[in-house]
Amino acid sequence: MYRLAVAVDTPQHAGLGDVLDYEAADAWAPGTLVRVPLGKRETLGVVWQADDDAPDASAADGSPVVLKAVIEALGSLPPLPPAWCALVSFTARYYQRALGEVALSVLPPELRKLDDAGLLKRLRKLDKALGLLPPPAPKRKRKSAAAEVAQAAEIATELAVEPHDTPTTAAEAPQRPPLTPEQDTVLASLTADFNAAQPACHLLHGVTGSGKTEVYLRAAEHALSIGRQALVLVPEINLTPQLEQRFAERFPGRKLVSLHSGLTAAQRLQNWLAAHLGHADLVLGTRLAIFCPLPRLGLIVVDEEHDPSYKQQDGARYSARDLAVYRGRLERAPVVLGSATPSLESWQHAQTGRYRLLTMAQRVGQGVLPAVRIIDMKTQPRPPRGQEPPALAPPLLAAVKERIERGEQSLLFLNRRGFAPVLHCTACDWKSGCPHCSAWRVFHKLDRTLRCHHCGFTERVPRACPDCGNQDIQPMGRGTERLEEQMAEALPGARVARIDADTTRLKGTLEQQLAAVHAGDVDVLIGTQMVTKGHDFRRVTLVAAVNPDSALFTADFRAPERLFATLMQAGGRAGRDAEAAARSEMWVQTSVPEHPLFAALRKHDFDAFAASQLTERDMAGLPPFSHLALLRCEAREAAVAEDFLKAARDLARSLLPAEQLTDVMFYAPVPPHVAKVAGFERRQMLVEGPTRPLLQRLLAVWTPALPALRSQHKGIVRWAIDVDPLSI
């Protein structure tokens, strides 16, 4: 019998180690999936590299511990590669999560339910779908452990190297657009890096419409030509179908799979297996795809690298963008981080030489960026007393009408869905607050409901004020649903459409709505942030930000960076057609036109905006010039949460050497923007360190000590550490 170290998803804060020991009749290689007993249940685990220095387990009296036996190994699947195990290990260590939790959470949920017989059926089904011969059925009598491991490694190598797709013939090869001089220069730098001993991480700073997607396609083409695989990450699911179509059209003879939460469990498992076995040449996906095992990985692309969606916000709070950089270094694959508005962290790395900066400052076809017009809302005519101001200032409304008359499209951006953020009573000042959260319930007129967008609590709109009985309940503020209604009234005969999370809930509706926009069946498109990035609307010549000020003045120091990126991305939807670029415009309605952000936006000057923001952050000691971790907790009572955080602060200080006490700053516990969600009070405490190694050393000894601290503070429901937090 052999002793195996197995990573399993143990209960959080159970005090168990990263791996558990089991005994098995065969010495299965690290990375092999096994089914093992855990308590009274059976679960999936991953054989892990054993720590040779770890002592043998023994009972309290010194007698050897009787190990539980592995139930079954999923031997029909090649082991997960060492690079995958190294990536998972780094993720767990850096983001302060259990190894088994990370390893199992990034595997397809369907895979965790299968035994070896069930997995073999899925593999045969996959081979049939790909036109491959089914794999030979496993023999009932196993070979020796050494022979079994050798055969598994041999099969994995064959599957990783053998191409299983039909090569593209000259007749099938799609027409490729000619490259601009900037694209040609960028690609020359990228392709040369494929042969480097240690490929670089490239920050591709290209303005909207400069042809970054074509660069991705050509770089992937080069990776495929040398027998490698390409991994392309996008921030959101709604960008995956259109990018998938672009890649499918360019590589008709290649196997392309996607990985995102919009797939069914069976689809996700099939695509994951195709990638792991080396059948898939191209993998497109959202942040979870960074953990997809790829035996021939040769290129990683992170599109819109600045997007906050790459940061997981529950469980293991990892950044897929940062892990992409680490994985590229680990597997010696070039990494391309693309954006028109890079994150300030990536931009700083490019300025210091840590990343290689590649620039594309011109749009394809020599089209110009849209002219930016700032409307000072303080100078606009005021409506009669008791009436709400119009959604669009008169000059902007006239500009939209002009576009309609010319047969062109307009995009109105308002990052707030629903009809109105709140309902209120004009008699007693009642407002539609959520009874379970410190937030308002949003009024949705279409189904006459009040919905909390934090906990999901929904009720029908009351006929009268619940407090005083007044029937005159009025909406306050404006959401996309209300803006759509107002535009239909202000623009009679215009074809107005809305795209947000409410109108795209059903499968296929987003694709249908986008197709209508591309076909010219929409005159005015109203949408949230989901329509401001990545979309190539050729007929849009006017983009308007209806109310951006609400995103500017918050307690988060990243608010200006996020707003500038959003507005630049939104403005980039206008003038994508070179012929219409000269008459394309972006309008911004604001009450603070003197803000430096709008001055930089008017000139499309990201460099100046980034320089000013980095100067401010350097003076304030904020990232990227310092490193942060955020300890969050939830409790039934606010005082309990605050006491826990204060005790955690005292514990952390006691763990620091005396000479480092002044280097690490612990901020006072404070409530977040929404302090109460689903009945639980939330509090958070920020920890700031001057260097990443110093902060990591503290977290490594602090995190394991927190479970015992929690037991001393009854009423704490949950707590978590967020390393490199984006939302503060």
Side-chain angles (χ1 to χ4, degrees):
M1 301 297 287
Y2 295 88
R3 177 181 172 184
L4 297 182
V6 181
V8 294
D9 189 2
T10 56
Q12 190 178 22
H13 313 315
L16 300 175
D18 280 343
V19 295
L20 302 180
D21 288 337
Y22 292 87
E23 68 174 14
D26 296 301
W28 294 101
T32 302
L33 297 177
V34 292
R35 300 205 67 82
V36 296
L38 182 65
K40 297 182 180 180
R41 60 189 175 93
E42 177 185 323
T43 186
L44 185 69
V46 184
V47 178
W48 216 257
Q49 183 67 48
D51 184 359
D52 296 334
D53 297 330
D56 292 335
S58 58
D61 58 1
S63 59
V65 170
V66 178
L67 299 178
K68 293 184 178 181
V70 170
I71 298 173
E72 179 187 33
L74 276 60
S76 55
L77 188 71
L80 294 161
W84 183 91
C85 296
L87 178 66
V88 167
S89 180
F90 171 80
T91 303
R93 184 172 64 254
Y94 184 83
Y95 293 102
Q96 302 299 316
R97 304 298 294 192
L99 178 65
E101 175 196 4
V102 176
L104 276 298
S105 67
V106 300
L107 295 176
E110 193 75 3
L111 182 62
R112 302 175 220 163
K113 305 174 185 177
L114 299 177
D115 56 13
D116 194 45
L119 178 58
L120 188 58
K121 291 180 181 178
R122 300 299 181 97
L123 291 173
R124 286 174 173 165
K125 185 177 181 181
L126 174 64
D127 285 347
K128 184 178 180 180
L130 296 175
L132 307 174
L133 293 175
K139 296 181 180 179
R140 291 184 178 276
K141 185 177 180 181
R142 292 196 180 279
K143 301 179 181 179
S144 67
E148 192 80 36
V149 171
Q151 184 185 28
E154 182 180 352
I155 292 174
T157 302
E158 291 176 357
L159 289 170
V161 175
E162 294 274 344
H164 295 287
D165 44 37
T166 306
T168 305
T169 64
E172 295 172 333
Q175 293 293 324
R176 300 185 301 174
L179 295 175
T180 66
E182 288 184 328
Q183 287 176 320
D184 199 39
T185 302
V186 166
L187 278 167
S189 178
L190 283 176
T191 52
D193 206 38
F194 276 89
N195 299 321
Q198 184 59 65
C201 175
H202 305 80
L203 178 61
L204 177 56
H205 178 214
V207 300
T208 54
S210 61
K212 293 188 292 295
T213 302
E214 182 62 27
V215 171
Y216 305 154
L217 289 164
R218 298 289 183 103
E221 181 182 343
H222 183 78
L224 268 56
S225 70
I226 59 176
R228 309 293 291 278
Q229 294 168 294
L231 172 63
V232 181
L233 302 183
V234 294
E236 296 182 13
I237 294 175
N238 70 78
L239 297 179
T240 309
Q242 61 179 10
L243 194 63
E244 187 174 6
Q245 182 181 0
R246 291 281 300 273
F247 273 84
E249 291 172 352
R250 181 62 62 88
F251 305 107
R254 298 287 189 170
K255 178 61 179 175
L256 168 67
V257 300
S258 59
L259 287 172
H260 53 76
S261 60
L263 301 173
T264 65
Q267 289 172 332
R268 182 174 164 187
L269 175 60
Q270 179 170 306
N271 291 354
W272 185 91
L273 289 172
H276 173 49
L277 296 174
H279 299 323
D281 295 300
L282 295 149
V283 176
L284 307 181
T286 50
R287 61 175 176 261
L288 191 62
I290 190 60
F291 292 102
C292 178
L294 296 162
R296 297 180 283 116
L297 181 61
L299 173 69
I300 303 176
V301 173
V302 184
D303 190 26
E304 309 291 359
E305 67 87 27
H306 67 278
D307 199 288
S309 300
Y310 284 120
K311 185 74 158 69
Q312 176 82 2
Q313 293 301 326
D314 53 26
R317 290 170 167 82
Y318 63 86
S319 166
R321 178 201 64 202
D322 295 345
L323 290 181
V325 177
Y326 179 82
R327 186 173 185 180
R329 189 183 312 122
L330 188 69
E331 303 202 44
R332 293 183 172 86
V335 178
V336 182
L337 308 179
S339 176
T341 54
S343 65
L344 293 184
E345 287 82 359
S346 296
W347 185 253
Q348 175 68 5
H349 290 330
Q351 303 305 306
T352 58
R354 184 174 177 180
Y355 296 169
R356 186 177 300 169
L357 180 61
L358 305 175
T359 303
M360 296 195 306
Q362 299 295 325
R363 282 186 154 185
V364 174
Q366 300 300 311
V368 296
L369 291 168
V372 178
R373 300 188 61 174
I374 307 296
I375 302 178
D376 186 353
M377 298 303 289
K378 298 192 299 293
T379 64
Q380 297 303 306
R382 295 186 175 231
R385 185 177 180 83
Q387 292 187 16
E388 185 182 25
L392 303 185
L396 176 54
L397 184 61
V400 172
K401 291 179 179 178
E402 180 182 341
R403 262 61 181 189
I404 296 174
E405 293 171 359
R406 291 207 303 248
E408 298 169 355
Q409 295 174 325
S410 300
L411 170 61
L412 305 183
F413 165 59
L414 178 61
N415 205 27
R416 179 179 285 165
R417 61 189 175 99
F419 189 85
V422 62
L423 285 183
H424 88 295
C425 173
T426 56
C428 70
D429 206 31
W430 169 87
K431 293 183 178 63
S432 56
C434 176
H436 311 296
C437 306
S438 55
W440 306 118
R441 281 178 294 164
V442 177
F443 172 41
H444 291 259
K445 187 176 181 180
L446 188 63
D447 56 3
R448 302 292 299 175
T449 60
L450 293 174
R451 298 185 214 159
C452 177
H453 290 175
H454 297 278
C455 71
F457 180 68
T458 302
E459 279 186 337
R460 298 288 297 175
V461 173
R463 295 182 179 274
C465 173
D467 287 354
C468 69
N470 174 35
Q471 295 187 352
D472 186 19
I473 304 178
Q474 298 292 331
M476 291 179 63
R478 182 181 293 110
T480 51
E481 190 179 344
R482 189 176 194 184
L483 182 59
E484 179 187 26
E485 180 181 283
Q486 291 173 332
M487 289 300 98
E489 296 174 355
L491 303 169
R495 298 168 297 178
V496 180
R498 171 169 57 97
I499 295 181
D500 55 26
D502 295 324
T503 63
T504 57
R505 283 180 175 165
L506 299 179
K507 186 176 180 62
T509 53
L510 175 61
E511 290 77 7
Q512 294 174 3
Q513 291 174 308
L514 291 175
V517 177
H518 290 302
D521 297 334
V522 173
D523 297 318
V524 178
L525 174 62
I526 297 168
T528 55
Q529 190 169 319
M530 65 189 301
V531 299
T532 64
K533 49 194 173 186
H535 299 286
D536 190 17
F537 299 131
R538 310 299 292 183
R539 293 180 172 87
V540 171
T541 59
L542 183 147
V543 171
V546 177
N547 181 26
D549 291 354
S550 59
L552 183 58
F553 299 104
T554 71
D556 196 333
F557 68 89
R558 287 192 172 92
E561 177 188 359
R562 289 203 187 106
L563 179 58
F564 186 83
T566 299
L567 294 179
M568 285 278 282
Q569 293 288 336
R573 299 317 104 201
R576 309 285 288 193
D577 187 289
E579 295 181 1
R583 60 178 183 273
S584 296
E585 294 179 329
M586 179 182 188
W587 293 61
V588 179
Q589 298 187 151
T590 176
S591 297
V592 285
E594 66 280 359
H595 196 284
L597 182 149
F598 297 116
L601 181 68
R602 187 183 285 111
K603 299 177 181 178
H604 299 281
D605 194 347
F606 173 81
D607 294 37
F609 172 77
S612 65
Q613 286 290 301
L614 287 172
T615 299
E616 290 182 10
R617 293 197 187 180
D618 191 10
M619 295 173 61
L622 293 170
F625 304 101
S626 65
H627 303 276
L628 304 178
L630 196 66
L631 177 58
R632 293 186 171 99
C633 71
E634 297 180 15
R636 290 290 184 185
E637 298 179 9
V640 174
E642 291 178 7
D643 289 343
F644 171 78
L645 291 178
K646 291 176 182 176
R649 179 183 58 193
D650 295 339
L651 174 63
R653 285 174 172 164
S654 70
L655 296 173
L656 278 171
E659 63 273 13
Q660 295 178 353
L661 278 173
T662 57
D663 294 333
V664 179
M665 179 178 292
F666 296 88
Y667 290 81
V670 295
H673 175 63
V674 181
K676 184 179 179 181
V677 172
F680 296 113
E681 295 287 347
R682 307 193 302 171
R683 294 296 184 270
Q684 59 187 29
M685 181 179 69
L686 193 64
V687 183
E688 178 187 300
T691 65
R692 181 174 281 114
L694 174 59
L695 185 60
Q696 281 291 317
R697 285 195 296 270
L698 170 62
L699 295 176
V701 294
W702 188 34
T703 305
L706 288 175
L709 190 65
R710 176 188 179 184
S711 63
Q712 301 171 16
H713 293 77
K714 304 299 182 182
I716 295 294
V717 178
R718 62 181 68 90
W719 62 269
I721 288 182
D722 188 356
V723 181
D724 300 335
L726 287 187
S727 300
I728 297 176

